[in-house]
Amino acid sequence: MKDFFLIYAHRGASATHPENTMPAFAAALRQGATGIELDVQLTRDNKLVVFHDWSLKRIFGKPGHIRDYTLAELRRFDAGSWFDSRFSGLSIPTLDDVLARAATKPIMLNIELKNFFSFSNGIEQKVSEAITRHNLQDKTVISTFNPLSLESLQQINCGVETAFLYFGHLRKAWHYAREYNCTYLHPPVHEVTAPFVDACREYSIKIVPYQVNTLPEIKRMIELGTDGIITSQPALAHRLLHGEKRRKPKR
Ligand code: G3P
Ligand code: CA
């Protein structure tokens, strides 16, 4: 499934639906995404939930962080209203919810570990076990901004491909991807140029840039020959690659 141009919907179809929710992931498929990108954190009772922010303020309007609440407490919060009242009553998904659904669909997954402020909380082992439980090792890539997590993933032999994810600028970023035994490099789109792609190829590192949200940037990535993109505009990318023909929604 990995030998084609990947369109990862960033936090699901986050331009049209509340990010990191089940409806956002279902909509991503309908919009032509071939993968979904999602963020994972650990709750106070050590359950894996899908949520991006460090603070709960923007989405839930609550104080504190994911790790301050149990799953049962978080499930009571509304994950949809902040986006639009049409989505009120949605609850935060667990990673298991998403994996169970993904196992029945022709879709790739990019699971990003959000543990920059919670070092050594064991999230790597738990995510790896969850992926194995759903038999999704071949359809999943784990990424993280935290290199310590990439080391942990190696130590536990997670059996899932990994991506070196970074922001801003990193000189010769492909060296780091290799150093941490990653199959993929996930750079911000502004980093990607023809020499950058050439260097990654030389190191046999696959490139999937993020923040690729405009037509010119999507086009530029296709022309440069990256292995895919992470975008909040999967429909745009799909149209550019396949013309007006829409994928038939799968049930
Ligand atoms: O994986 C790329 C992208 O999702 C990283 O940034 O902040 O949206 O998780 P962020
Ligand atoms: Ca992310």
Side-chain angles (χ1 to χ4, degrees):
M1 263 194 90
K2 293 183 186 174
D3 294 329
F4 66 101
F5 191 86
L6 276 161
I7 305 171
Y8 281 115
H10 181 234
R11 308 181 200 169
S14 54
T16 54
H17 292 69
E19 67 186 48
N20 281 327
T21 62
M22 296 305 278
F25 299 138
L29 259 173
R30 291 196 299 273
Q31 292 176 16
T34 47
I36 53 175
E37 187 269 353
L38 58 128
D39 306 287
V40 171
Q41 303 188 37
L42 272 176
T43 64
R44 197 175 82 211
D45 51 344
N46 268 324
K47 302 286 193 286
L48 293 163
V49 288
V50 181
F51 197 81
H52 175 271
D53 292 3
W54 175 237
S55 153
L56 301 191
K57 199 153 184 52
R58 180 176 66 102
I59 304 282
F60 292 144
K62 303 284 181 194
H65 313 109
I66 290 287
R67 70 175 181 198
D68 300 327
Y69 295 85
T70 63
L71 174 60
E73 287 165 342
L74 289 166
R75 288 279 210 195
R76 287 198 280 274
F77 298 159
D78 186 331
S81 290
W82 71 275
F83 187 84
D84 191 299
S85 57
R86 283 183 299 127
F87 296 104
S88 74
L90 280 181
S91 60
I92 188 170
T94 61
L95 181 61
D96 265 322
D97 293 336
V98 179
L99 296 181
R101 203 59 206 258
T104 67
K105 306 278 177 193
I107 191 117
M108 292 286 296
L109 293 171
N110 173 198
I111 300 176
E112 187 197 333
L113 309 183
K114 280 286 185 220
N115 61 339
F116 216 78
F117 299 106
S118 307
F119 292 153
S120 308
N121 62 356
I123 194 171
E124 301 85 1
Q125 181 76 40
K126 289 191 86 70
V127 167
S128 164
E129 284 168 6
I131 295 166
T132 306
R133 205 162 48 242
H134 292 273
N135 200 20
L136 284 167
Q137 299 93 318
D138 291 342
K139 290 169 70 177
T140 305
V141 174
I142 301 175
S143 64
T144 172
F145 284 112
N146 183 351
L148 289 174
S149 274
L150 294 173
E151 278 184 3
S152 299
L153 288 165
Q154 277 183 59
Q155 279 158 11
I156 63 172
N157 277 322
C158 78
V160 177
E161 289 182 324
T162 54
F164 189 95
L165 171 64
Y166 73 97
F167 58 86
H169 170 66
L170 197 56
R171 212 159 73 85
K172 300 188 177 177
W174 46 91
H175 282 287
Y176 295 91
R178 176 177 268 190
E179 178 68 24
Y180 286 95
N181 273 322
C182 296
T183 309
Y184 289 87
L185 183 60
H186 288 185
V189 65
H190 64 78
E191 286 274 272
V192 184
T193 58
F196 186 102
V197 173
D198 288 347
C200 289
R201 293 286 170 247
E202 204 175 305
Y203 278 67
S204 303
I205 301 292
K206 295 184 181 181
I207 317 153
V208 178
Y210 66 97
Q211 291 171 341
V212 193
N213 297 327
T214 64
L215 196 62
E217 285 292 63
I218 296 170
K219 214 164 163 230
R220 194 169 75 83
M221 292 307 105
I222 294 170
E223 284 168 4
L224 281 175
T226 64
D227 296 279
I229 54 172
I230 300 168
T231 179
S232 56
Q233 302 294 338
L236 207 57
H238 185 265
R239 264 206 307 282
L240 203 55
L241 278 167
H242 306 288
E244 290 304 316
K245 200 165 53 115
R246 296 297 306 270
R247 280 162 62 107
K248 220 170 140 195
K250 297 225 166 30
R251 293 184 184 277

